Each structure stands twice: as structure tokens, then as C-alpha cells.
Amino acid sequence: MSAEAADRVAAVGSSRPSTPLQTSWFEFLLDGSLLEKHLQKSNPDPLPVQLIIQFLEQASKPSVNEQNQVQPPADNRRNRTLKLLALKVAAHMKWDLEVLEKGLTIPVLNMLLNELLCVSKVPPGVKHVDLDLSTLPPTTAMAVIIYNRWAIRTIVLSSFPEKQTKPGPHQMNIIVQQEKEMTENILTVLKEQAADSISVLEGALRLKKDFYVHTLRTLDLLAADGAANGETESSTAGLRISTDELHCQVHYDLGGIFFQQGCTDQPAFVKASDHFRQTKDLLTERLAGYWNACRALTGNCDPSDSQTSPYDKINSLVRAHNYQAVIEAFIKDNTTRSLPNHFRRSVLREFLYKVQQGETGLDEICHKLCVCNAVRDAVEGEVLSVRFQQLLLKPSKRMVDFILEVCTRSLEKERPCETSRRNMANFLKTLCEGLEELPLVFVVSSHKLFMELLREEERKVLVEQMRKRSATINLSAKPLPSFYDIPASASVNIGQLEQQLILSLEPRRIRQILFELHGIAERPYWRVNSKWEVPSDYINVILSIKDNLTKDLVYILMAKGLHCISIKDFVHARLLFSACLELVTEFSPKLRQVMLNEILLLEVRAHETMAAEGSKERPPSDLVSRVRGYLEMRIHDLPLRQVVGEECVAFMLNWRENDYLTLQVPPSLVMNNPYIKLGQLLASTCKELPGPKESRRTAKELWDVVVQICSVSIQHKRNSEGRVGLIKHRESSMGILHRSKFITFVKKLREPLVLTTLISLFVRLHSIVRLTRVWLQRPDVYSPCTHSNPTSSSSSVTNQYSAALNLYLQAGAVCSDFFTKTVPPDVYTDQVLKRMIKCCSMMNCHTQVAVLCQFLREVDYMTAFKALQEQNSHDAMDSFYDYIWDVTILEYLTRILSMIKAIGQTELNTSNPEEVLQLAAQKRKKGFLQAMAKLYF
């Protein structure tokens, strides 16, 4: 027992009450679960930063060899584990540089972050400035960003004056001096590379995607052998860092370094100012959003308060039901433009939602708010909204007067810019072209603002066009390029319009046709084509839309989009779904989420189709994030299609997002969603395959689940005499999925390891079922309880051996491109190979037995020697000797058959490097299996 351990035991045995003992660093080596428990304590002792120091200090201790010479720290399992423990503590602290900088010295933090670069698979020997962050896996890119953020932060902090330390004991002074020298050396390197670090971080600001940083779980995976293939770095299993959050941090750090450089380089202050401004904007936007939301929800704001923001004033007026004041505020904002468009639209959506919920008396308020927003859009040159276009179908004179009032007041500034005047003029022209009734057109064309903004020639042309319009023409003859612009085509009979409606895939044209149809006759045009189908989950939500035109448009856009997806026309599907999303966003949060879910399914299917056609491009990280978000989504009363969840799980399996499925899926989802449960079992089994058989815990659970799914219940039907007549087989209800749904799910999988796992499972299940059936007919031959092969005491069933060998060879051929590649070891396991050997032996193909004995992990020399001694061999013995590569077997053959030529092959010389011997063995394995396939296929 060490002295330290003895002291601890003595302390425990003391009768004097004492404070809890501090956990020693080596205890974390002995108990893998102790670190996480320790970090979860409210007041852990030692503190996290102290643990990092202890772990790295122990891992970096030099060793002494037998000649008493000091050696660098050994690269052994103990030291690697200590470094990993230090990283896991930092991950628990969420890589907060401010906290780490306060608790760790520069040399310790430098060592920690260099270890992070190492485990994150940052290419060694390559300058960070030469790396393309957009092509790196998320956690790898984040490691580079964290290191370079620390680099420039350290340069800035080192420029601040330090408090001089008082002299201490001589030994302590030496240690302090050594650390100071190390710090100065590190700072020298960091300053030399400062320009590169700045370039790296400026490159990070150009990336518009989320990042992921290592957590305790992902670091555990990196430590496991199964993570050597880089799966963890390529996945998004770590802690998500949003784009805005990362950009805010990087802008702040760059502002600091440029401010520091400004002391000697005056233009750097300009850069610093710009970065600090962008930091402020990002923080202000986030904080203002939360603050205003809290004030609005609690009603803790006063409209008369001069400090109250425009957001607060609007929210306060809405809560006070002072709707006329809201409209006034919107009209005034058309000149000040202090309210963002998205906020104004959200206010309108709130009123529309109240109308949908049955609140009366708000229709006119909605119309007026819609007009205010439309005029604001028009002045800024934006596309007019769908709802405003609908208002123009049957407007009253009162509404037209209000539109003209808002237009006039929206240009009341002393000197409106020419762009705003020209945009307003275009809006008034569009207004005239959109009105059907000539009296209303003349109301607009005779208005003072119309006369001011449009030139005389423009007014004359427009008025003349209006005069020529026939009473049978619905809308103007000139369609505009926007999806929302009202088209115009001469009225035609309903049958022709319905035919065009069926054939069109262009959202704008579909909308044009529906406008015309509703202008002729009000009826449900979503029923025009019986093949237009939307999922039954969504029917009630769509049909509850009160406006008939909107209802038709939503239904038809969704139905056509789903049809396009079914024929893999993803381009038109995106157009149709995008138009539908934009439409429903204005009035229904529920339908908006439905469309977002359908667009996600569209993108998943589009990417999977590309992969099936040979594309090797990984899905973008934002798509993976959206899939994870869907699987974790829990919105009350939202209709969800099961197929979306099914394909999302298949997508995660196909792209080897096993870390998420095994570690990060909330337990409630696993319990409630059978596809997630199945996906988790498959992912866990695939991760356990490289390990020893006894450690494959989830493989047994996966087997049980699949057996239950594939089970059938037998129903006996008695005839009139009471005898058992018909036997019906039904799908068992015991499984987490019906068999048909399970088969549909399996057909969506294409990842080789997942498919190999399922094939192996199905083959075993099929073998058990087949052996059970044979046993029921011949109980003297098979025993289903032990799943054994035919016994030697039973009567011959010899032909089955050839059929079995044929299937074994087929299984190997499928997964190795007809044996041009190595058969995966999880397909030809020792158990399978022994069955193949037995098949060959029972057919008296003894030379084949000897060759197959070499395939085992440990060559079965006894079986091979016995087979080669057999005189009654039914295979072409000489033709298979060339496939023997094991020197011991060749020596045996030399003694019994004088096989001097075979053993004399240079590539089989035992003095050759291991790689040469392995290549020789693989070459003969492939050749032998191909020869066997020709015999048994």
C-alpha cells in the first residue's frame, strides 16, 4: 500500500469527526464512473480545474529508465487515460475559456487544448490557416476554433500588467521561474502565429452552420476501439453550438486582439470597433427578445413610459384590447420603420389565430393590419402578401379609402426618397390592376397621391386600359413574375380551368387558376382530381381552414408536392412545398409545423435517393440537426405522420449517426417510438460488433425484438362438428411493430454493417425455423432445442450438406463482390467456418477441409492433418493444394506427398514481413473461395 493510501485509511479509522476526504486523482483511474459522479456534486473537492491540473501533471511526469536517465513521459494506457480524464472535465465545463483561463496557467491550458486537437483528429503537421473548416467534421472544426480563440485571448491577456509575486523559498522560486520561462516560450509562439489565428477565426465567421463540441459521452466513444474509424468526429453527437453563439464569441475575441493591436496600428481600431459592434448586435438581439417577451407575458410594461421599446408598446396595446391604437402605431411605423417586418407579421398572425379560434369582431382589424403591412412591403419594394391579394378580390369602398389613407400617411415625411416614391407609384398601379369594379379603380386613379406619383402618360395609359376592360374579364392581362401577383387571363369555362389546374406544377399558375375559378363559382376545387391525396393525419386540419380559396390552395399544393416526391421530382416538390409553407405561415402555426415536417421528409428522401444513385456526399450538418430536432419534437395536438419518424431513423442509421441513437436519444422517445427503439438496438449492436462476443449485450435484445415481430399467432377454427378444421396464421401483436411495417422499414436501410447484422439475424432465424420444421417430421435427425446439425447416428441426409455449403458461399460472395474482397470476419465467423468444414467433411471433400482449417482464427491443425491423411477423398485434391499457405500444413504435405514445389514458394517464406505473409494468405483465400463457388453454385 502506498503512503498516500495508508494515510487515507488511517484517516478513515480515526474516531475524530472530520470533513469529507478529498478524492485522489488515482481513484478516477480505478473507477470509470467516478468522474461523472464527482462532477455532479454541488461542491466537488477537488474542484474541476484542480482535477485538470492533477491529471495533466501526472500524465506529463517524466520517467526514469534502468540507467537512471530521465525519459519523456511514456505513451502508455495510464497516461492516455489521464489526458482523457482532463478533457472530460473540460467538456463538463463546456469548454468555457473564461473559466479555464482563470483556473489554469498558460502551460497547462496549452497542454489541454493541444490534447483536444489530437483527439479531435486535427491533421498533425498542417497549419490551421491551411485547413478548410467547412470540410472538416463538426467537432474537429470546433477544436481548431477553440484553440485559436484561446491563442488570441492569451495574447491580449498577457498584455495586461501583472501583480509581482513576492519571493518565496528557493525551491519554490525555481519552479516559478521554470513556469515563467515556459509561459514566455508559449507566448512567443502564439504571437508569431497571431495572424494565422486571426485568419482562422475570420474564416469561421464565414460559416453559416451550427458546430458541435466534444462532451463526456463523445470522448468516451473516442477512447473506445470502435471509434477509430472517425465516426464520432463525422457525427453531430456532441454539444450543439449555434451559429449566432459562436459568431458572437469570435467577434468579441477578434475585437479584443484588434483593439490591442491598435496601440501600434491605428487602423486596427476600426476593425475592433466593427467586431465589437457585431458582438453587441448579436447580444442585444437575443437579450432584447427574451426581455421583451417576458415583459409582454407578464404585462409589466407601460405604453406611456418613454423608456418602453416599440415592441413593448405594441404588446401592451394588444393586451389592453386597444386595437385602433395598434393600427395607428403600424401606420406611423411605416415612416419610422422601427418595427421589423417579422414582428409586424407576427402581430397579424396573432389576430388571425384569434379569429380561427372563433373570437368575433376582429376581421376588420385583421384586414387593416394586413393593409398596413402591405403598404410597408410596397414602400420597401417587397413582394405583397397572399392575404392582401385576397383582400383585393372583393374590397369595399371603405377598404379602398383606408388603403389610400395608409399610402398617403406612409409618405408623410418631408422629403421621401425617390425609391420610396417610385415603389409607392408601382403599388398604386398594381392596386388599380387588381380591382375588378371600375368605380373603385376611379377612386384610386382620381386620388391626390396617385396624381402626384404617376406621370401624366402613365395615368392616361392605365385609365385607358381600365376603360377597355370587359365585364367578363376578371383580372388584368399582364401576369407579374411574383408567386403572389394576381394574374389575368380571359375568362374561360370552368372545365378548361380545372384541366389546367390538374396539369400545372407551377405554384404561381395554380394560384392564378384558383383565383379565376373562385371568381366564377364558389365550390371545393380540391375535389377536382380524385388522385389528389393528402395524408389522413392532415385532412381535418386543412379542411378546418375557413377561407375556401386558401383551403383549396393548401390542399392542392400539398397533394401535388407529395405526388412529385413519389416520382422523385424533388425540384417541383420543393417549389410546391415552399409556396405552401409561405402561405400557411400567415395564419396557422400548426400547419406551418406540418409543412416543415414534410419539407424535412422531402430533403431526407432527396438525399437518400442521391446516395442510392452512387453519391458519397454526407448530408449537411443542418439536415442532421433538423432530423434530430424532429425525433425529439413534442408539440401538443400536432398531427404527425409515422413515415416521417420512420425515415428519419433510417436516415440516421444509413449515415452512421450511431452516437446519437445510442447515447443522446431521450429515454421517453425510446419507450414510445418503436422505430427509435429499433434504431437504437441496431446502432448499439453495430457498435458492439468489433468487441468480444460476451460484451454484445444489445444483440440479444435485438434478437428478442425481431423474433417477436416475426412471430405468428396460430388460430384454430373449429367446424360445425367441433373438430379443429382450418388453421389461420396471423401476425403476432406482441412485437413493437407489425411485421409488414418492419419489412418496409428494413427496405429503407442501406448501410452495409446494419444490413449485414440484419441478414445474419434473419439467416439464423430462418435456420431455426427450417430445422424445427424438419424435426417435426424427423425427430430422430434434428433437435430444435439445441439447433444442432444432423447427428452421425441418424440416417443419411447428405444432400443437405451441399445445399448448406452453397448458401454459406453465397453469403460470403454477396458481401465481398464475389470474393474479390475479403469476407468480413463477422460473416465468416469461426462458428460458420466450422460448419463449412463439417459440410465438406461429410461429403468426403477432405482437401477442402484442410484448406478451410487455415481460415480459422487459430488454425485447426489436428483436423487438417486428419483430413489430409484420408485416402477416400471426393474432391480434386491436387487442384486445391495451391490454396494452402500455412507453412506447418505445407511441411506436413511435404512429408506425406513430397510437395516440395508448394513449400518452396518465396512469398510463403516465414522470414518475410508479416504484411507479405498476410497478402499471400488473402490471395489464396480469395482464389479458393472462388473455386468453391464454381463447384457449388
PDB file of all heavy atoms in Angstrom, residues 400-401 403-404 427-429 431-432 435 438-451 462:
ATOM      1  N   VAL A 400     -60.886  50.491 -49.717  1.00  0.00           N
ATOM      2  CA  VAL A 400     -60.022  51.182 -50.675  1.00  0.00           C
ATOM      3  C   VAL A 400     -59.634  52.554 -50.126  1.00  0.00           C
ATOM      4  O   VAL A 400     -58.471  52.985 -50.241  1.00  0.00           O
ATOM      5  CB  VAL A 400     -60.727  51.305 -52.044  1.00  0.00           C
ATOM      6  CG1 VAL A 400     -59.905  52.184 -52.987  1.00  0.00           C
ATOM      7  CG2 VAL A 400     -60.940  49.930 -52.655  1.00  0.00           C
ATOM      8  N   ASP A 401     -60.580  53.238 -49.506  1.00  0.00           N
ATOM      9  CA  ASP A 401     -60.274  54.533 -48.894  1.00  0.00           C
ATOM     10  C   ASP A 401     -59.200  54.388 -47.813  1.00  0.00           C
ATOM     11  O   ASP A 401     -58.298  55.244 -47.681  1.00  0.00           O
ATOM     12  CB  ASP A 401     -61.542  55.149 -48.288  1.00  0.00           C
ATOM     13  CG  ASP A 401     -62.516  55.641 -49.358  1.00  0.00           C
ATOM     14  OD1 ASP A 401     -62.061  55.884 -50.496  1.00  0.00           O
ATOM     15  OD2 ASP A 401     -63.717  55.759 -49.060  1.00  0.00           O
ATOM     16  N   ILE A 403     -56.904  52.045 -47.638  1.00  0.00           N
ATOM     17  CA  ILE A 403     -55.618  51.760 -48.303  1.00  0.00           C
ATOM     18  C   ILE A 403     -54.974  53.067 -48.754  1.00  0.00           C
ATOM     19  O   ILE A 403     -53.773  53.294 -48.545  1.00  0.00           O
ATOM     20  CB  ILE A 403     -55.828  50.816 -49.500  1.00  0.00           C
ATOM     21  CG1 ILE A 403     -56.285  49.435 -49.022  1.00  0.00           C
ATOM     22  CG2 ILE A 403     -54.533  50.677 -50.311  1.00  0.00           C
ATOM     23  CD1 ILE A 403     -56.669  48.481 -50.161  1.00  0.00           C
ATOM     24  N   LEU A 404     -55.759  53.952 -49.361  1.00  0.00           N
ATOM     25  CA  LEU A 404     -55.225  55.223 -49.847  1.00  0.00           C
ATOM     26  C   LEU A 404     -54.783  56.117 -48.693  1.00  0.00           C
ATOM     27  O   LEU A 404     -53.773  56.832 -48.785  1.00  0.00           O
ATOM     28  CB  LEU A 404     -56.283  55.929 -50.695  1.00  0.00           C
ATOM     29  CG  LEU A 404     -56.617  55.235 -52.022  1.00  0.00           C
ATOM     30  CD1 LEU A 404     -57.821  55.885 -52.670  1.00  0.00           C
ATOM     31  CD2 LEU A 404     -55.422  55.258 -52.955  1.00  0.00           C
ATOM     32  N   PHE A 427     -47.086  50.420 -56.532  1.00  0.00           N
ATOM     33  CA  PHE A 427     -48.112  49.796 -55.709  1.00  0.00           C
ATOM     34  C   PHE A 427     -49.513  50.280 -56.117  1.00  0.00           C
ATOM     35  O   PHE A 427     -50.454  49.501 -56.219  1.00  0.00           O
ATOM     36  CB  PHE A 427     -47.853  50.101 -54.235  1.00  0.00           C
ATOM     37  CG  PHE A 427     -48.945  49.656 -53.315  1.00  0.00           C
ATOM     38  CD1 PHE A 427     -49.141  48.305 -53.045  1.00  0.00           C
ATOM     39  CD2 PHE A 427     -49.808  50.575 -52.716  1.00  0.00           C
ATOM     40  CE1 PHE A 427     -50.151  47.876 -52.191  1.00  0.00           C
ATOM     41  CE2 PHE A 427     -50.817  50.162 -51.864  1.00  0.00           C
ATOM     42  CZ  PHE A 427     -50.985  48.814 -51.606  1.00  0.00           C
ATOM     43  N   LEU A 428     -49.645  51.594 -56.363  1.00  0.00           N
ATOM     44  CA  LEU A 428     -50.940  52.137 -56.764  1.00  0.00           C
ATOM     45  C   LEU A 428     -51.366  51.602 -58.136  1.00  0.00           C
ATOM     46  O   LEU A 428     -52.553  51.338 -58.377  1.00  0.00           O
ATOM     47  CB  LEU A 428     -50.884  53.664 -56.783  1.00  0.00           C
ATOM     48  CG  LEU A 428     -50.718  54.324 -55.400  1.00  0.00           C
ATOM     49  CD1 LEU A 428     -50.541  55.826 -55.537  1.00  0.00           C
ATOM     50  CD2 LEU A 428     -51.896  54.002 -54.495  1.00  0.00           C
ATOM     51  N   LYS A 429     -50.398  51.420 -59.042  1.00  0.00           N
ATOM     52  CA  LYS A 429     -50.727  50.830 -60.347  1.00  0.00           C
ATOM     53  C   LYS A 429     -51.216  49.391 -60.153  1.00  0.00           C
ATOM     54  O   LYS A 429     -52.208  48.964 -60.755  1.00  0.00           O
ATOM     55  CB  LYS A 429     -49.493  50.846 -61.256  1.00  0.00           C
ATOM     56  CG  LYS A 429     -49.143  52.222 -61.794  1.00  0.00           C
ATOM     57  CD  LYS A 429     -47.818  52.205 -62.548  1.00  0.00           C
ATOM     58  CE  LYS A 429     -47.898  51.327 -63.783  1.00  0.00           C
ATOM     59  NZ  LYS A 429     -46.626  51.370 -64.551  1.00  0.00           N
ATOM     60  N   LEU A 431     -52.559  48.195 -57.535  1.00  0.00           N
ATOM     61  CA  LEU A 431     -53.876  48.275 -56.895  1.00  0.00           C
ATOM     62  C   LEU A 431     -54.971  48.473 -57.945  1.00  0.00           C
ATOM     63  O   LEU A 431     -56.017  47.802 -57.911  1.00  0.00           O
ATOM     64  CB  LEU A 431     -53.874  49.421 -55.882  1.00  0.00           C
ATOM     65  CG  LEU A 431     -55.158  49.638 -55.073  1.00  0.00           C
ATOM     66  CD1 LEU A 431     -55.477  48.395 -54.242  1.00  0.00           C
ATOM     67  CD2 LEU A 431     -55.013  50.860 -54.168  1.00  0.00           C
ATOM     68  N   CYS A 432     -54.742  49.369 -58.887  1.00  0.00           N
ATOM     69  CA  CYS A 432     -55.726  49.606 -59.945  1.00  0.00           C
ATOM     70  C   CYS A 432     -55.948  48.353 -60.789  1.00  0.00           C
ATOM     71  O   CYS A 432     -57.086  47.993 -61.120  1.00  0.00           O
ATOM     72  CB  CYS A 432     -55.250  50.744 -60.856  1.00  0.00           C
ATOM     73  SG  CYS A 432     -55.431  52.376 -60.123  1.00  0.00           S
ATOM     74  N   LEU A 435     -58.166  45.649 -59.009  1.00  0.00           N
ATOM     75  CA  LEU A 435     -59.571  45.895 -58.675  1.00  0.00           C
ATOM     76  C   LEU A 435     -60.462  45.584 -59.866  1.00  0.00           C
ATOM     77  O   LEU A 435     -60.192  46.021 -60.990  1.00  0.00           O
ATOM     78  CB  LEU A 435     -59.750  47.367 -58.253  1.00  0.00           C
ATOM     79  CG  LEU A 435     -59.040  47.774 -56.948  1.00  0.00           C
ATOM     80  CD1 LEU A 435     -59.098  49.277 -56.758  1.00  0.00           C
ATOM     81  CD2 LEU A 435     -59.642  47.057 -55.758  1.00  0.00           C
ATOM     82  N   LEU A 438     -64.892  49.054 -61.809  1.00  0.00           N
ATOM     83  CA  LEU A 438     -64.363  50.304 -62.348  1.00  0.00           C
ATOM     84  C   LEU A 438     -64.567  51.504 -61.417  1.00  0.00           C
ATOM     85  O   LEU A 438     -63.672  52.352 -61.319  1.00  0.00           O
ATOM     86  CB  LEU A 438     -64.998  50.585 -63.717  1.00  0.00           C
ATOM     87  CG  LEU A 438     -64.462  49.722 -64.865  1.00  0.00           C
ATOM     88  CD1 LEU A 438     -65.180  50.068 -66.149  1.00  0.00           C
ATOM     89  CD2 LEU A 438     -62.966  49.901 -65.026  1.00  0.00           C
ATOM     90  N   PRO A 439     -65.686  51.601 -60.700  1.00  0.00           N
ATOM     91  CA  PRO A 439     -65.827  52.743 -59.773  1.00  0.00           C
ATOM     92  C   PRO A 439     -64.707  52.801 -58.734  1.00  0.00           C
ATOM     93  O   PRO A 439     -64.226  53.881 -58.394  1.00  0.00           O
ATOM     94  CB  PRO A 439     -67.190  52.498 -59.122  1.00  0.00           C
ATOM     95  CG  PRO A 439     -67.946  51.697 -60.126  1.00  0.00           C
ATOM     96  CD  PRO A 439     -66.937  50.824 -60.784  1.00  0.00           C
ATOM     97  N   LEU A 440     -64.280  51.640 -58.264  1.00  0.00           N
ATOM     98  CA  LEU A 440     -63.191  51.608 -57.277  1.00  0.00           C
ATOM     99  C   LEU A 440     -61.866  51.980 -57.929  1.00  0.00           C
ATOM    100  O   LEU A 440     -61.013  52.633 -57.302  1.00  0.00           O
ATOM    101  CB  LEU A 440     -63.100  50.217 -56.644  1.00  0.00           C
ATOM    102  CG  LEU A 440     -64.291  49.796 -55.766  1.00  0.00           C
ATOM    103  CD1 LEU A 440     -64.082  48.390 -55.211  1.00  0.00           C
ATOM    104  CD2 LEU A 440     -64.511  50.783 -54.622  1.00  0.00           C
ATOM    105  N   VAL A 441     -61.703  51.573 -59.178  1.00  0.00           N
ATOM    106  CA  VAL A 441     -60.482  51.937 -59.907  1.00  0.00           C
ATOM    107  C   VAL A 441     -60.393  53.453 -60.027  1.00  0.00           C
ATOM    108  O   VAL A 441     -59.327  54.059 -59.834  1.00  0.00           O
ATOM    109  CB  VAL A 441     -60.467  51.286 -61.307  1.00  0.00           C
ATOM    110  CG1 VAL A 441     -59.281  51.808 -62.121  1.00  0.00           C
ATOM    111  CG2 VAL A 441     -60.406  49.774 -61.176  1.00  0.00           C
ATOM    112  N   PHE A 442     -61.538  54.101 -60.330  1.00  0.00           N
ATOM    113  CA  PHE A 442     -61.536  55.552 -60.493  1.00  0.00           C
ATOM    114  C   PHE A 442     -61.336  56.267 -59.157  1.00  0.00           C
ATOM    115  O   PHE A 442     -60.804  57.375 -59.119  1.00  0.00           O
ATOM    116  CB  PHE A 442     -62.834  56.008 -61.166  1.00  0.00           C
ATOM    117  CG  PHE A 442     -62.929  55.559 -62.593  1.00  0.00           C
ATOM    118  CD1 PHE A 442     -64.079  54.944 -63.072  1.00  0.00           C
ATOM    119  CD2 PHE A 442     -61.856  55.737 -63.467  1.00  0.00           C
ATOM    120  CE1 PHE A 442     -64.162  54.530 -64.390  1.00  0.00           C
ATOM    121  CE2 PHE A 442     -61.933  55.323 -64.782  1.00  0.00           C
ATOM    122  CZ  PHE A 442     -63.090  54.705 -65.253  1.00  0.00           C
ATOM    123  N   VAL A 443     -61.726  55.611 -58.047  1.00  0.00           N
ATOM    124  CA  VAL A 443     -61.436  56.180 -56.716  1.00  0.00           C
ATOM    125  C   VAL A 443     -59.931  56.308 -56.529  1.00  0.00           C
ATOM    126  O   VAL A 443     -59.424  57.322 -56.026  1.00  0.00           O
ATOM    127  CB  VAL A 443     -62.057  55.317 -55.600  1.00  0.00           C
ATOM    128  CG1 VAL A 443     -61.537  55.755 -54.233  1.00  0.00           C
ATOM    129  CG2 VAL A 443     -63.575  55.408 -55.636  1.00  0.00           C
ATOM    130  N   VAL A 444     -59.217  55.267 -56.956  1.00  0.00           N
ATOM    131  CA  VAL A 444     -57.752  55.270 -56.818  1.00  0.00           C
ATOM    132  C   VAL A 444     -57.129  56.266 -57.799  1.00  0.00           C
ATOM    133  O   VAL A 444     -56.276  57.096 -57.437  1.00  0.00           O
ATOM    134  CB  VAL A 444     -57.185  53.857 -57.053  1.00  0.00           C
ATOM    135  CG1 VAL A 444     -55.653  53.884 -56.998  1.00  0.00           C
ATOM    136  CG2 VAL A 444     -57.743  52.884 -56.026  1.00  0.00           C
ATOM    137  N   SER A 445     -57.550  56.171 -59.061  1.00  0.00           N
ATOM    138  CA  SER A 445     -56.894  56.978 -60.107  1.00  0.00           C
ATOM    139  C   SER A 445     -57.163  58.471 -59.965  1.00  0.00           C
ATOM    140  O   SER A 445     -56.437  59.290 -60.529  1.00  0.00           O
ATOM    141  CB  SER A 445     -57.335  56.499 -61.495  1.00  0.00           C
ATOM    142  OG  SER A 445     -58.741  56.668 -61.645  1.00  0.00           O
ATOM    143  N   SER A 446     -58.206  58.833 -59.228  1.00  0.00           N
ATOM    144  CA  SER A 446     -58.502  60.258 -59.029  1.00  0.00           C
ATOM    145  C   SER A 446     -57.959  60.795 -57.714  1.00  0.00           C
ATOM    146  O   SER A 446     -58.137  61.969 -57.400  1.00  0.00           O
ATOM    147  CB  SER A 446     -60.021  60.486 -59.088  1.00  0.00           C
ATOM    148  OG  SER A 446     -60.662  59.738 -58.052  1.00  0.00           O
ATOM    149  N   HIS A 447     -57.283  59.945 -56.963  1.00  0.00           N
ATOM    150  CA  HIS A 447     -56.764  60.373 -55.656  1.00  0.00           C
ATOM    151  C   HIS A 447     -55.552  61.284 -55.837  1.00  0.00           C
ATOM    152  O   HIS A 447     -54.774  61.154 -56.785  1.00  0.00           O
ATOM    153  CB  HIS A 447     -56.386  59.137 -54.831  1.00  0.00           C
ATOM    154  CG  HIS A 447     -56.150  59.448 -53.384  1.00  0.00           C
ATOM    155  ND1 HIS A 447     -54.924  59.811 -52.891  1.00  0.00           N
ATOM    156  CD2 HIS A 447     -57.005  59.454 -52.317  1.00  0.00           C
ATOM    157  CE1 HIS A 447     -55.012  60.010 -51.588  1.00  0.00           C
ATOM    158  NE2 HIS A 447     -56.277  59.804 -51.221  1.00  0.00           N
ATOM    159  N   LYS A 448     -55.384  62.204 -54.902  1.00  0.00           N
ATOM    160  CA  LYS A 448     -54.283  63.182 -54.971  1.00  0.00           C
ATOM    161  C   LYS A 448     -52.916  62.494 -55.048  1.00  0.00           C
ATOM    162  O   LYS A 448     -52.045  62.893 -55.833  1.00  0.00           O
ATOM    163  CB  LYS A 448     -54.359  64.094 -53.747  1.00  0.00           C
ATOM    164  CG  LYS A 448     -53.251  65.140 -53.686  1.00  0.00           C
ATOM    165  CD  LYS A 448     -53.361  65.953 -52.400  1.00  0.00           C
ATOM    166  CE  LYS A 448     -52.186  66.931 -52.298  1.00  0.00           C
ATOM    167  NZ  LYS A 448     -52.225  67.703 -51.032  1.00  0.00           N
ATOM    168  N   LEU A 449     -52.707  61.450 -54.224  1.00  0.00           N
ATOM    169  CA  LEU A 449     -51.414  60.773 -54.205  1.00  0.00           C
ATOM    170  C   LEU A 449     -51.117  60.115 -55.550  1.00  0.00           C
ATOM    171  O   LEU A 449     -49.980  60.145 -56.040  1.00  0.00           O
ATOM    172  CB  LEU A 449     -51.397  59.720 -53.080  1.00  0.00           C
ATOM    173  CG  LEU A 449     -50.075  59.001 -52.846  1.00  0.00           C
ATOM    174  CD1 LEU A 449     -49.008  59.987 -52.375  1.00  0.00           C
ATOM    175  CD2 LEU A 449     -50.238  57.881 -51.820  1.00  0.00           C
ATOM    176  N   PHE A 450     -52.147  59.519 -56.160  1.00  0.00           N
ATOM    177  CA  PHE A 450     -51.999  58.878 -57.479  1.00  0.00           C
ATOM    178  C   PHE A 450     -51.557  59.925 -58.500  1.00  0.00           C
ATOM    179  O   PHE A 450     -50.676  59.682 -59.337  1.00  0.00           O
ATOM    180  CB  PHE A 450     -53.326  58.234 -57.883  1.00  0.00           C
ATOM    181  CG  PHE A 450     -53.303  57.465 -59.174  1.00  0.00           C
ATOM    182  CD1 PHE A 450     -52.971  56.118 -59.188  1.00  0.00           C
ATOM    183  CD2 PHE A 450     -53.607  58.091 -60.375  1.00  0.00           C
ATOM    184  CE1 PHE A 450     -52.959  55.404 -60.370  1.00  0.00           C
ATOM    185  CE2 PHE A 450     -53.595  57.386 -61.562  1.00  0.00           C
ATOM    186  CZ  PHE A 450     -53.261  56.031 -61.568  1.00  0.00           C
ATOM    187  N   MET A 451     -52.195  61.113 -58.452  1.00  0.00           N
ATOM    188  CA  MET A 451     -51.872  62.171 -59.408  1.00  0.00           C
ATOM    189  C   MET A 451     -50.444  62.675 -59.210  1.00  0.00           C
ATOM    190  O   MET A 451     -49.771  63.045 -60.161  1.00  0.00           O
ATOM    191  CB  MET A 451     -52.860  63.341 -59.240  1.00  0.00           C
ATOM    192  CG  MET A 451     -54.320  62.936 -59.298  1.00  0.00           C
ATOM    193  SD  MET A 451     -54.859  62.458 -60.931  1.00  0.00           S
ATOM    194  CE  MET A 451     -55.063  64.087 -61.668  1.00  0.00           C
ATOM    195  N   LEU A 462     -52.951  53.838 -68.086  1.00  0.00           N
ATOM    196  CA  LEU A 462     -53.594  52.969 -67.109  1.00  0.00           C
ATOM    197  C   LEU A 462     -55.111  53.144 -67.120  1.00  0.00           C
ATOM    198  O   LEU A 462     -55.869  52.159 -67.125  1.00  0.00           O
ATOM    199  CB  LEU A 462     -53.037  53.267 -65.712  1.00  0.00           C
ATOM    200  CG  LEU A 462     -53.468  52.320 -64.591  1.00  0.00           C
ATOM    201  CD1 LEU A 462     -53.046  50.897 -64.892  1.00  0.00           C
ATOM    202  CD2 LEU A 462     -52.914  52.780 -63.261  1.00  0.00           C
TER     203      LEU A 462
END
